[in-house]
Amino acid sequence: MEARFFNRELSWIEFNGRVLYQGLRKDQPLLERLNFLSIVTSNFDEFFQVRVASVKRSLISNPDQVDISGLTPELLLRQISSRCHEIIRKQNDCLMNDILPELAKKNIKYVNPLNFTPLQNEFVQSFFKAEIFPILTPLRTDTEIFPHIINKAHYVAFLLTPIKGIHNANNLLKGDDNAPRISLVQVPQAIPQIIWLPGERGVKQFALSEEIISHYGTQLFPGFGVDETLIFKVLRDADFAVDEDSGTNFIHEMEKVLDKRKTSFAVQLICNNSSEKILNFLLGKLELGQEDAYVIDGILDSKVLGSLRELDENGEMQFSKWSHFYPASLPKDEPFWDILKQRDILLHVPYESYEPVIKFISDAADDSDVLAIKMTLYRTGEDTRIVNALMRAAQKGKQVVVLVELKARFDEERNIAWAQKLENAGVTVIYGLVNLKVHAKMIMVMRRENETICRYAHLSTGNYNPKTAEYYADLSLFTSNYEMVTDATQFFNLVTGYSTLQTMKRFGMAPVSLKSMLISMINREIEQSTPEHPGLIMAKMNSLTHEEVIPLLYKASCAGVRVLLNVRGICMLVPGVKDMSENIKVVSIVDRYLEHSRVFYFQNGGQEEIYLSSADWMSRNLDRRVEVMFPILEKRTFKEVKDILEVYFKDNTNSMQLEENGSWLPVEPEEADGKEKVRAQEVLYKKYKRRNSLSGGTPKIEFVVRRKD
């Protein structure tokens, strides 16, 4: 019997495999390859803290439960461990045996302390004694309570042996004679991770602080010899939910969740391969199995090498610089109100600059005719311009209402800080909804014009974060369309007050109507599809897991509807299976920008419809979050979005296709058909660059893929 669903966790791991694939490609710039390896590490850190921790808890609470893919928690953990070990081995081999040797050829040389020259040894010993030794704190492990190992922090463990004849130190650290004398030293965050070394002229040589501590750490233990060392980090369970029904202060409850993360159970140990004895000791103390240990033959965490980008002054080891073009359709020196009365404006970051969004909020804050601003904030990042504009507006007497979603995982502390700062400035802050995470991205501005109130909205697929807007690909819409802004008004009334949801003219809103709209449109495509005129669904999203939507897409395939899916991350749908999904194609693109936009197209018997959304087709988005899906109504903007969507299915350079067995294979040019290489992000960039270079009005965007004559 054919599988109808891939497993969610295993599918996510394969996304990391696609990221690793880019790091393995020798045709990619060297430091970009290193960056892809670092992304693998960051992704796995979150995956183990959240998803693996959840599966481990399921193993205890419901070990016999079988998920929709047919796996029990035990079987799933085995497969997770097997595939993750394989990917991490490939990642480490690429770093140590490919990228670092290639960097050395570029005169950027990593040096292990075992290979220091006498001059380097003398320099590092002096540096260690003056800058590192004073702030290190060795921790004994033979005490009644085992020292707490901080989540994600790097440590060095030392296996010690007393030096004969030195009795004071021996008695001081005697402890339990049956226990190994192992001391733990946390690598301080206050010291640089990369230590630059003296060496050959014209060659930049470096070592890592954790390896220096491991090598010279004998100075921490007078009277003892160091037999073995181990550099390691531990990841802990971070999959906690705030108790929203406790009746107590919500921020206090959120802070309790953050505290729990610091002391939760361990889920993974990553270490170098220098001491099996220390490794087994730590696994026992942390209650981890051998399958939870990931042993690296080399540098523990490639993220520590991120600062090497600063050495590439000419940019020859990185992607060529791409500008973020200010949209020709929007003025730089005047507010957008008059333009938005005439037409909608589409913004496509990071090809286009994020400055119009910041300007939209800032202009509203400073405009004496603006009466109110309403906004959702999910992950706003560290850039203060948006928050400052909102505070400025409140201080000028405008009504400013901001819904700050505190439940944005790993951004909770930052969001709490922003919320308190906004409140102190006079902003009305709403802390989300009970038991629902508000994930919609929306701004509304109310402005008095000629004795009436005009409304303007910005609707987006991505967060209000100027920093991530430099490398997350997202689409958003500025509009004053009456039906759209009316729906936006209803949205804010619902999430900030007690309004009963009225029928929205244009929006789909989860968890109320968005899923039913999607299901209705898929069913409509099925009903209208004929052999002569087959239906067509094109959709781009981050993940596809919904257990109602996937079977409906299978039904559409069986009805002859062509289904083209561009899914960046998790995809539980099984494509290409005869009599089930043979008309479904799934591709995924990993490139210099993170694909983050959600775009849904329905052919609708020739009456085409396109929607943008904050929501993926996942249960959490459609059933347990507040999300918005909104249509593209204007003809010119519609064609632009459709062309953007279509180019993603023409990529044969950075695209991979999902096979029915769960593997992902690179999509390559079909030379027999005379196809040239197409890189979707490059095609898009060149089009925006061309539009920027044109003077006068806004040209119509067309994405034409060149082919051989």
Side-chain angles (χ1 to χ4, degrees):
M1 183 177 177
E2 295 284 354
R4 288 178 59 82
F5 293 88
F6 291 128
N7 177 268
R8 183 193 195 282
E9 321 307 343
L10 298 178
S11 180
W12 188 95
I13 293 171
E14 292 311 314
F15 165 60
N16 237 20
R18 298 195 294 282
V19 176
L20 175 63
Y21 176 81
Q22 296 299 323
L24 299 178
R25 287 177 55 172
K26 294 183 181 293
D27 61 333
Q28 297 277 30
L30 193 55
L31 289 178
E32 300 299 345
R33 296 178 63 196
L34 177 60
N35 185 53
F36 282 120
L37 298 191
S38 299
I39 294 171
V40 170
T41 299
S42 297
N43 286 348
F44 269 142
D45 281 356
E46 182 171 343
F47 175 67
F48 276 88
Q49 289 178 90
V50 179
R51 301 306 306 180
V52 175
S54 176
V55 179
K56 281 178 173 283
R57 274 190 267 103
S58 296
L59 180 62
I60 296 171
S61 63
N62 200 349
D64 298 323
Q65 181 180 11
V66 178
D67 68 20
I68 198 168
S69 69
L71 295 177
T72 63
E74 182 180 8
L75 288 173
L76 177 55
L77 284 172
R78 284 186 201 166
Q79 293 192 32
I80 288 173
S81 177
S82 175
R83 184 63 173 131
C84 287
H85 273 92
E86 180 183 6
I87 288 176
I88 290 173
R89 278 195 300 269
K90 289 181 179 179
Q91 175 200 27
N92 180 66
D93 180 66
C94 178
L95 176 64
M96 302 305 298
N97 300 319
D98 185 356
I99 290 178
L100 287 179
E102 289 299 315
L103 281 172
K105 294 177 183 178
K106 302 288 187 180
N107 294 324
I108 302 173
K109 187 176 181 181
Y110 158 72
V111 185
N112 186 284
L114 295 174
N115 299 321
F116 283 170
T117 65
L119 175 63
Q120 290 170 342
N121 184 62
E122 181 181 354
F123 168 81
V124 174
Q125 284 213 48
S126 176
F127 181 85
F128 178 82
K129 187 174 182 179
E131 302 290 335
I132 300 179
F133 180 86
I135 58 176
L136 298 180
T137 304
L139 302 174
R140 294 175 59 170
T141 60
D142 58 356
T143 54
E144 185 175 346
I145 299 177
F146 187 72
H148 175 66
I149 297 174
I150 298 171
N151 185 41
K152 295 174 66 175
H154 286 211
Y155 287 81
V156 182
F158 297 85
L159 177 62
L160 308 175
T161 301
I163 299 174
K164 291 182 179 180
I166 302 180
H167 300 291
N168 291 336
N170 191 12
N171 292 332
L172 180 64
L173 286 179
K174 184 175 181 181
D176 182 357
D177 282 333
N178 295 320
R181 289 182 172 86
I182 292 175
S183 183
L184 307 181
V185 177
Q186 183 183 351
V187 179
Q189 293 184 347
I191 61 175
Q193 295 173 311
I194 288 180
I195 308 299
W196 295 102
L197 307 171
E200 308 167 48
R201 178 174 296 180
V203 179
K204 297 179 175 67
Q205 301 187 62
F206 68 92
L208 301 183
S209 57
E210 58 199 35
E211 294 181 345
I212 288 173
I213 294 171
S214 176
H215 191 70
Y216 296 96
T218 53
Q219 300 175 37
L220 293 162
F221 310 104
F224 286 80
V226 175
D227 291 346
E228 299 176 9
T229 64
L230 188 78
I231 302 171
F232 71 96
K233 76 172 181 179
V234 171
L235 296 181
R236 295 184 174 276
D237 174 25
D239 187 31
F240 294 106
V242 67
D243 181 5
E244 301 191 51
D245 298 317
S246 63
T248 58
N249 182 278
F250 184 74
I251 291 182
H252 178 66
E253 291 299 309
M254 182 60 71
E255 289 171 341
K256 285 166 61 176
V257 165
L258 299 178
D259 286 337
K260 284 182 183 178
R261 285 184 188 164
K262 299 174 184 176
T263 57
S264 56
F265 68 84
V267 293
Q268 184 196 38
L269 185 145
I270 309 104
C271 63
N272 65 0
N273 64 351
S274 54
S275 175
E276 186 175 346
K277 188 170 185 178
I278 297 176
L279 171 60
N280 290 332
F281 172 80
L282 291 172
L283 291 176
K285 291 293 185 180
L286 296 167
E287 299 181 337
L288 293 172
Q290 290 291 334
E291 70 279 2
D292 300 313
Y294 290 75
V295 182
I296 304 297
D297 186 14
I299 294 174
L300 202 66
D301 189 339
S302 57
K303 296 198 303 294
V304 304
L305 304 179
S307 61
L308 297 183
R309 280 181 173 269
E310 299 171 5
L311 303 180
D312 185 25
E313 296 178 358
N314 298 323
E316 63 181 29
M317 292 184 284
Q318 302 177 61
F319 289 133
S320 59
K321 183 175 176 57
W322 282 5
S323 300
H324 309 299
F325 303 111
Y326 194 92
S329 53
L330 289 172
K332 292 183 178 180
D333 303 322
E334 298 175 6
F336 304 156
W337 321 126
D338 290 340
I339 290 176
L340 296 183
K341 289 187 186 72
Q342 302 170 36
R343 56 165 298 198
D344 294 346
I345 299 293
L346 184 76
L347 185 69
H348 194 183
V349 297
Y351 309 101
E352 293 182 296
S353 167
Y354 198 70
E355 288 302 313
V357 178
I358 298 171
K359 177 174 167 53
F360 182 68
I361 302 171
S362 184
D363 286 346
D366 297 329
D367 190 326
S368 59
D369 291 324
V370 169
L371 305 177
I373 303 171
K374 299 182 181 183
M375 183 176 184
T376 61
L377 279 181
Y378 187 70
R379 299 185 193 273
T380 193
E382 297 178 354
D383 192 306
T384 61
R385 289 176 293 172
I386 289 175
V387 172
N388 286 345
L390 294 169
M391 293 192 299
R392 192 166 70 248
Q395 290 162 355
K396 291 185 176 184
K398 303 179 193 304
Q399 183 189 58
V400 182
V401 179
V402 179
L403 192 151
V404 178
E405 181 49 79
L406 297 185
K407 299 187 288 290
R409 196 189 307 272
F410 301 120
D411 275 335
E412 297 96 339
E413 289 183 272
R414 181 182 295 144
N415 284 3
I416 288 172
W418 285 137
Q420 293 174 338
K421 192 172 182 180
L422 287 165
E423 278 192 331
N424 292 338
V427 174
T428 299
V429 177
I430 309 296
Y431 294 102
L433 300 175
V434 176
N435 297 319
L436 288 173
K437 184 180 289 188
V438 179
H439 193 247
K441 331 292 185 184
M442 191 183 308
I443 304 170
M444 274 205 71
V445 173
M446 279 60 72
R447 186 172 187 264
R448 183 176 295 283
E449 300 175 8
N450 298 324
E451 306 304 321
T452 188
I453 303 296
C454 293
R455 293 173 292 180
Y456 303 89
H458 178 260
L459 313 168
S460 180
T461 68
N463 302 312
Y464 289 110
N465 187 325
K467 184 60 180 176
T468 58
E470 295 178 1
Y471 54 92
Y472 278 33
D474 272 301
L475 289 161
S476 63
L477 191 73
F478 294 98
T479 184
S480 66
N481 176 281
Y482 177 79
E483 292 180 337
M484 298 274 270
V485 297
T486 299
D487 284 357
T489 300
Q490 287 192 39
F491 168 84
F492 277 108
N493 288 344
L494 180 69
V495 298
T496 63
Y498 290 98
S499 169
T500 302
L501 181 66
Q502 316 252 330
T503 301
M504 290 185 170
K505 294 283 188 181
R506 295 295 184 177
F507 286 6
M509 179 178 170
V512 182
S513 61
L514 202 162
K515 182 176 72 176
S516 61
M517 279 183 66
L518 285 174
I519 289 174
S520 174
M521 289 186 289
I522 295 171
N523 277 323
R524 182 184 64 190
E525 210 66 28
I526 293 170
E527 293 167 3
Q528 294 179 347
S529 183
T530 66
E532 297 77 21
H533 302 285
L536 174 62
I537 298 170
M538 293 189 291
K540 180 180 180 297
M541 65 197 76
N542 296 331
S543 295
L544 171 58
T545 68
H546 203 283
E547 295 177 13
E548 291 177 67
V549 174
I550 290 174
L552 196 57
L553 292 174
Y554 292 154
K555 183 179 177 182
S557 173
C558 292
V561 178
R562 289 195 305 131
V563 181
L564 302 179
L565 303 172
N566 187 296
V567 184
R568 187 195 79 213
I570 303 164
C571 181
M572 291 174 58
L573 178 146
V574 182
V577 178
K578 185 173 175 57
D579 298 327
M580 183 179 83
S581 58
E582 57 193 308
N583 289 315
I584 302 178
K585 176 182 178 181
V586 181
V587 297
S588 179
I589 292 175
V590 177
D591 203 341
R592 67 186 292 162
Y593 294 147
L594 180 79
E595 290 298 338
H596 194 253
S597 57
R598 292 91 166 183
V599 188
F600 313 138
Y601 166 90
F602 299 91
Q603 185 171 263
N604 188 24
Q607 302 297 312
E608 303 168 297
E609 294 180 357
I610 287 182
Y611 295 84
L612 303 182
S613 182
S614 59
D616 293 309
W617 291 357
M618 304 179 73
S619 297
R620 71 181 188 189
N621 297 96
L622 303 184
D623 300 325
R624 301 191 300 275
R625 286 184 175 182
V626 176
E627 308 269 13
V628 167
M629 178 176 72
F630 54 95
I632 301 298
L633 300 176
E634 292 186 353
K635 184 176 181 181
R636 176 168 45 183
T637 308
F638 186 99
K639 184 178 189 312
E640 184 173 345
V641 176
K642 184 181 178 184
D643 288 345
I644 290 169
L645 183 59
E646 287 178 336
V647 81
Y648 281 112
F649 293 101
K650 296 173 182 175
D651 189 298
N652 55 25
T653 302
N654 287 65
S655 181
M656 302 186 82
Q657 182 167 329
L658 179 60
E659 303 297 307
E660 62 180 284
N661 64 1
S663 62
W664 290 83
L665 300 180
V667 176
E668 297 179 349
E670 300 176 23
E671 296 297 339
D673 295 336
K675 289 188 177 179
E676 292 185 348
K677 288 187 176 181
V678 177
R679 179 183 171 198
Q681 291 190 0
E682 185 176 35
V683 171
L684 291 167
Y685 173 75
K686 287 181 176 179
K687 289 296 179 179
Y688 286 102
K689 182 179 180 180
R690 183 183 306 168
R691 179 166 78 172
N692 183 72
S693 68
L694 295 175
S695 59
T698 307
K700 182 167 61 176
I701 299 292
E702 294 181 342
F703 298 99
V704 180
V705 178
R706 281 192 321 144
R707 305 191 184 282
K708 292 180 180 177
D709 294 332

